[in-house]
Amino acid sequence: MTRTALVTGGSRGIGEAISRKLKAEGYTVAATYAGNDEKAAAFTAETGIKTYKWNVADYEASAAGIAQVETEIGSIDIVVANAGITCDAPFHKMTPQQWKDVIDTNLTGVFNTIHPIWPGMRERKFGRVIVISSINGQKGQFAQANYAATKAGDLGIVKSLAQEGARAGITANAICPGYIATEMVMAVPEKVREAIIGQIPAGRLGEPDEIARCVAFLASDDAGFVNGSTISVNGAQFFV
Ligand code: CAA
């Protein structure tokens, strides 16, 4: 039977590459998005992947959206918690709102995405939870106290869920992308971006597909004993 995957933030950036890859691997895929209707419509028209609009920071909206996906396309076997935002500022300039927005979306959003799906995975004795963290959750980053806190928190969630889900046939793993060529990284001032690329031994930004291929592996039956892991995909920029 075809397995079903949900990818949050799945119509743009790294999430788009993940949605496309999982579809190419034969999964039925649903992608969520938060705001860009035009992009989501174009993505659905081109790929045939259904898109659903909700704010991952809102638990009720997430639970209702997930129930709708499960009614329309089937029980979710694979969840990729990918949706995330940045609100970068040096700490002395960071506002409580910038802190809260990033925590709500990137950390609480991961809870809101996985929690409504988890009981079904436990009942069916199969699940793949894949959280897209970041190199900056591993090493911290100037102007990202909020973002780095959430991405480090993601690793704690995954390691806990790995222990809770293991006997129920559920794995939970994190991927820590380095700097990948997406709109998020392109929004960094050019001078800063060039300096960052200078710190990457590979000498280049990563490609979204390089993350998507890792997701496909973690989603597969071959990865059944890979549980609680953090896979770094960063061109040798940082080692844990
Ligand atoms: N390391 C050390 N110093 C840095 C720095 C860094 N990475 N980035 C900026 N600075 C310094 C500047 O050189 C400048 O110093 P001077 O005042 O001595 O010239 C100072 O910090 C800038 O201070 P400002 O008060 O002017 O800063 P600002 O309020 O204008 O904010 C910024 C600028 C938000 C920090 C901007 O430089 C920026 O966006 N930096 C990039 C942060 C970053 O790397 N974000 C990652 C985004 S990609 C991502 O998050 C995806 C992922 O998972 C990898």
Side-chain angles (χ1 to χ4, degrees):
M1 206 182 78
T2 309
R3 287 184 175 145
T4 297
L6 177 74
V7 184
T8 63
S11 66
R12 294 198 299 142
I14 291 174
E16 174 176 358
I18 294 169
S19 297
R20 287 174 184 266
K21 177 67 177 167
L22 292 179
K23 181 165 189 225
E25 294 282 312
Y27 299 98
T28 302
V29 180
T32 80
Y33 70 103
N36 193 333
D37 295 317
E38 206 180 310
K39 172 66 189 166
F43 169 79
T44 298
E46 195 199 321
T47 62
I49 295 171
K50 273 186 120 174
T51 46
Y52 294 83
K53 184 177 185 177
W54 72 75
N55 179 0
V56 296
D58 179 338
Y59 186 85
E60 300 307 325
S62 297
I66 286 161
Q68 188 189 350
V69 170
E70 294 203 316
T71 302
E72 289 183 9
I73 69 170
S75 302
I76 296 166
D77 305 298
I78 294 132
V79 57
V80 185
N82 164 77
I85 60 168
T86 54
C87 292
D88 294 352
F91 194 61
H92 64 282
K93 289 187 184 170
M94 188 174 285
T95 64
Q97 194 62 47
Q98 286 177 310
W99 173 264
K100 186 175 177 337
D101 287 348
V102 173
I103 299 290
D104 288 352
T105 300
N106 297 12
L107 188 62
T108 307
V110 170
F111 173 86
N112 294 345
T113 297
I114 301 169
H115 192 259
I117 296 170
W118 189 253
M121 288 181 166
R122 280 166 48 88
E123 270 165 34
R124 294 187 298 276
K125 298 270 178 280
F126 180 85
R128 294 282 189 265
V129 173
I130 302 160
V131 179
I132 306 302
S133 175
S134 166
I135 185 175
N136 292 344
Q138 297 173 299
K139 73 170 186 57
Q141 170 61 34
F142 190 101
Q144 285 201 312
N146 50 4
Y147 184 87
T150 63
K151 295 299 181 177
D154 287 342
L155 303 183
I157 293 173
V158 157
K159 288 169 188 170
S160 302
L161 296 188
Q163 294 174 51
E164 292 190 29
R167 289 198 183 182
I170 305 170
T171 66
N173 292 286
I175 297 174
C176 286
Y179 282 76
I180 308 298
T182 61
E183 281 173 40
M184 186 183 271
V185 169
M186 293 309 167
V188 171
E190 198 182 343
K191 251 181 79 181
V192 178
R193 197 170 59 246
E194 290 306 320
I196 288 167
I197 293 171
Q199 294 161 9
I200 305 173
R204 64 171 177 88
L205 297 174
E207 292 300 325
D209 267 347
E210 295 180 302
I211 306 305
R213 289 196 289 272
C214 291
V215 171
F217 169 65
L218 290 174
S220 72
D221 285 335
D222 285 345
F225 203 56
V226 182
N227 203 356
S229 293
T230 301
I231 300 185
S232 299
V233 188
N234 63 32
Q237 188 182 351
F238 184 75
F239 308 117
V240 180

